[in-house]
Amino acid sequence: MSSSNSSLNATNPLSGEDTTQYTQELLSNCLDGLPTFEDSHTNIWTSATTSSSEPAIRYIQPPNPGWKFGETVESTELGRKWMAGAKLEDNWERFDTDQEDNRKIYALMISGIQPRPIAFVSSVSATGEENLAPFSFFQALSPSPPLIMISALNAPRVKDTSANIQATKEFTVNIISLPWIVQANAASIDAPAHVSEWELAGLTKEPSTHVRAPRVKESAFSIECTLFDKYDIVHPDTGLVNSTITFGLIKCIHVRKDVLNARGVPDPAKLQSVSRMGDVSYGITTQAFRLPRPSWAADCKAIEKALQERRMQDDPQGERH
């Protein structure tokens, strides 16, 4: 690690400066002893910003390409190593949610359910105050009608985003890309109402087409939404409404042309979207592999033959019932 340390110290942008708590935590928990992002990802995003044919995401073969229908996970060395841990009785820990502190369950969920997409939501209050905030409890729900959902905690108070959407019935969701993740993360700060997240994060407002809330110009994929419905999640034991799910009806999608592939949809190598991991960790995709979707209509005979051969291997005497 010595070379990484020396590289870091030589390029540390915070050295010799007065630091905030944010930069102090960045130094001690996120930078110390690690190679710089630029050093560890040299040329990784080349095709996203130049005309080079070199892929920004390196495609590799999927694991176990020789797999046949019916073969177990343990049919490969990789699978056998993985299942070794699953078979150890003392290697499992159980968390009953009604007996655990809510903070523990929250930590388990955000660390175990990953990676997660991030909704960077722009909204406007009934009185015209603009808000910008990231949410990682977010997902696409339906293509027809086109719906997305965002879940927001109501503790210690109802989020400004939720209150704004309920009041004005509209918002935008902006997908975060790698070049501006630091700015997006800054918008998660618990700033007082008079402080603008837009100004604090240094991001640019772009007028929307169908809704009052602006979209983020830095985002290469933005969607304008109106409120389709909401669902208050009532705790079954306490009766408290701890979270609210907002369902957004997509009215318009804005996509930068330079992130599209030949089929006219976003290329993951060019969109460079960032995902949410556990604690304060984020993730990027630098390697990918492709797997075709199985088709029963095309391969049913071969599949049935493979399953029959597998049954014979497991029960050569034909004693299965």
Side-chain angles (χ1 to χ4, degrees):
M1 295 295 292
S2 58
S3 60
S4 297
N5 273 313
S6 60
S7 174
L8 174 66
N9 293 334
T11 59
N12 180 4
L14 304 177
S15 60
E17 295 185 8
D18 293 334
T19 59
T20 60
Q21 179 177 323
Y22 169 80
T23 53
Q24 289 171 1
E25 291 186 7
L26 191 67
L27 280 166
S28 60
N29 297 328
C30 306
L31 300 182
D32 189 29
L34 299 176
T36 66
F37 183 90
E38 290 76 13
D39 287 344
S40 60
H41 291 84
T42 301
N43 298 324
I44 199 67
W45 305 109
T46 300
S47 68
T49 55
T50 71
S51 59
S52 170
S53 60
E54 180 185 354
I57 293 180
R58 176 173 174 256
Y59 277 87
I60 59 175
Q61 292 185 1
N64 193 16
W67 180 84
K68 296 181 177 59
F69 287 96
E71 288 184 343
T72 67
V73 173
E74 293 177 291
S75 62
T76 66
E77 181 63 23
L78 180 66
R80 284 190 290 274
K81 290 180 178 178
W82 176 258
M83 291 304 296
K87 292 181 177 180
L88 298 174
E89 292 296 330
D90 61 352
N91 196 35
W92 292 92
E93 188 168 1
R94 190 181 77 190
F95 299 90
D96 294 313
T97 58
D98 59 352
Q99 298 177 19
E100 294 286 345
D101 185 276
N102 288 338
R103 291 170 295 182
K104 179 64 176 181
I105 299 303
Y106 175 82
L108 285 169
M109 288 183 65
I110 66 170
S111 296
I113 304 173
Q114 59 162 300
R116 301 186 309 282
I118 307 168
F120 200 41
V121 182
S122 165
S123 62
V124 181
S125 73
T127 57
E129 295 175 326
E130 296 173 325
N131 184 267
L132 189 63
F135 293 84
S136 66
F137 281 58
F138 157 63
Q139 195 50 267
L141 289 182
S142 166
S144 182
L147 297 176
I148 57 94
M149 61 78 64
I150 304 163
S151 179
L153 293 173
N154 292 328
R157 63 179 180 86
V158 175
K159 298 286 187 183
D160 290 338
T161 298
S162 296
N164 292 349
I165 294 173
Q166 300 309 315
T168 64
K169 316 301 183 191
E170 56 187 37
F171 59 101
T172 72
V173 172
N174 307 270
I175 298 303
I176 300 170
S177 294
L178 179 69
W180 55 282
I181 179 58
V182 175
Q183 287 81 2
N185 180 63
S188 66
I189 192 170
D190 53 345
H194 69 277
V195 176
S196 167
E197 291 89 359
W198 286 93
E199 182 180 12
L200 187 150
L203 293 170
T204 311
K205 301 174 190 176
E206 184 73 7
S208 294
T209 307
H210 298 275
V211 301
R212 184 179 177 187
R215 56 191 177 92
V216 179
K217 187 171 186 177
E218 286 78 5
S219 177
F221 190 95
S222 297
I223 56 179
E224 300 181 24
C225 298
T226 56
L227 178 63
F228 181 79
D229 203 351
K230 76 155 186 169
Y231 181 79
D232 289 330
I233 302 177
V234 179
H235 195 287
D237 296 330
T238 66
L240 297 175
V241 179
N242 291 331
S243 299
T244 296
I245 299 176
T246 297
F247 299 94
L249 176 65
I250 299 175
K251 304 296 291 184
C252 182
I253 300 175
H254 300 267
V255 191
R256 268 176 39 184
K257 292 181 180 179
D258 60 347
V259 303
L260 300 178
N261 62 17
R263 295 187 297 115
V265 296
D267 183 334
K270 297 177 180 178
L271 186 59
Q272 305 177 40
S273 59
V274 177
S275 62
R276 197 68 168 87
M277 311 293 278
D279 61 73
V280 294
S281 299
Y282 291 85
I284 57 173
T285 300
T286 57
Q287 286 190 339
F289 57 82
R290 304 182 65 173
L291 283 172
R293 179 176 296 182
S295 168
W296 183 264
D299 295 324
C300 60
K301 291 183 179 179
I303 294 173
E304 288 177 334
K305 179 181 178 182
L307 294 179
Q308 183 61 33
E309 291 175 350
R310 181 68 188 176
R311 295 188 193 109
M312 292 297 296
Q313 292 176 4
D314 292 341
D315 188 12
Q317 302 301 319
E319 297 176 355
R320 292 174 59 92
H321 298 287

